[in-house]
C-alpha cells in the first residue's frame, strides 16, 4: 500500500513540475558590448491588435517609429533591439541588471558599458528617441 501511495505522489509531483515548466517563460537576457537601446512592449493577441483598443493601439505607433529610428541608430553605433517582454536581464561585463516594467508596458531601456541604465516609458517618436540617445550616450546621431 505504501508503495502505491509513493508512486502516486511521485507521478503527481512529476506532472506538476512538467506543467510549471510549460507555463513559465524564460526571462530574456541581453549581453551588452556597446551602447544599446532595448525597446520593450507587452504581448498582445492578434484580436486586441485588430480591434485597436487601449494600449494595443499604441503598438502601431511604436512599430512605425522603431522602424524609422533603427537604421540611424545603427549608423551612430547604437544597437537597437525590440523585445516582447515585461521583464528582462541585462549583462554588462560581470554586472547583471534585472528590469521589471512598470504600469506602462511600452518603453525604452538605454544601457552602455560603464553607465547606469536609463528607462523612458511610453511610445517615443524617432526624433524623441534620437534626442534621448544623444543625451544619454553623448553620441552624435545624423
Amino acid at each position: 500500500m505504501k508503495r502505491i501511495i509513493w508512486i502516486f505522489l511521485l507521478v503527481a509531483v512529476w506532472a506538476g513540475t512538467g506543467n510549471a515548466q510549460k507555463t513559465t517563460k524564460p526571462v530574456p537576457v541581453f549581453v551588452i558590448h556597446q551602447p544599446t537601446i532595448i525597446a520593450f512592449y507587452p504581448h498582445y493577441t492578434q484580436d486586441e491588435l485588430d480591434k485597436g483598443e487601449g494600449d494595443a493601439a499604441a503598438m502601431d505607433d511604436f512599430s512605425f517609429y522603431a522602424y524609422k529610428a533603427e537604421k540611424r541608430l545603427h549608423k551612430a553605433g547604437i544597437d537597437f533591439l525590440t523585445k516582447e517582454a515585461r521583464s528582462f536581464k541585462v549583462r554588462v561585463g560581470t554586472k547583471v541588471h534585472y528590469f521589471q516594467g512598470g504600469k506602462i508596458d511600452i518603453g525604452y531601456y538605454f544601457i552602455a558599458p560603464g553607465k547606469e541604465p536609463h528607462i523612458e516609458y511610453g511610445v517615443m517618436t524617432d526624433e524623441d528617441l534620437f534626442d534621448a540617445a544623444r543625451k544619454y550616450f553623448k553620441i552624435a546621431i545624423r
Side-chain angles (χ1 to χ4, degrees):
M1 183 68 170
K2 283 184 178 180
R3 182 175 273 181
I4 292 173
I5 292 173
W6 278 110
I7 291 172
F8 176 75
L9 286 174
L10 180 62
V11 169
V13 168
W14 175 75
T17 304
N19 289 336
Q21 289 175 349
K22 289 179 186 175
T23 59
T24 304
K25 247 181 147 177
V27 176
V29 179
F30 299 96
V31 179
I32 306 301
H33 299 287
Q34 66 183 48
T36 303
I37 300 171
I38 302 167
F40 57 91
Y41 57 96
H43 172 75
Y44 291 107
T45 65
Q46 189 59 48
D47 189 45
E48 290 171 317
L49 293 172
D50 290 343
K51 288 180 182 176
E53 296 176 355
D55 289 338
M59 284 304 297
D60 283 340
D61 290 340
F62 176 84
S63 298
F64 174 75
Y65 291 120
Y67 176 77
K68 280 184 72 174
E70 187 174 16
K71 282 185 183 178
R72 282 180 61 190
L73 291 168
H74 280 292
K75 278 185 180 179
I78 300 168
D79 277 346
F80 185 74
L81 312 169
T82 57
K83 186 65 179 172
E84 179 184 295
R86 292 175 188 254
S87 62
F88 50 85
K89 292 180 183 179
V90 177
R91 184 169 63 89
V92 183
T94 58
K95 287 178 86 175
V96 176
H97 300 272
Y98 177 76
F99 172 75
Q100 175 67 49
K103 289 183 180 181
I104 300 174
D105 292 331
I106 295 174
Y108 308 85
Y109 187 95
F110 295 72
I111 187 72
K115 294 187 72 110
E116 287 298 312
H118 173 74
I119 296 109
E120 295 278 344
Y121 288 100
V123 176
M124 297 175 80
T125 68
D126 53 333
E127 291 300 324
D128 290 338
L129 269 169
F130 301 146
D131 288 342
R134 284 183 195 106
K135 288 177 188 170
Y136 177 78
F137 297 119
K138 309 282 190 242
I139 294 174
I141 300 172
R142 304 192 192 291

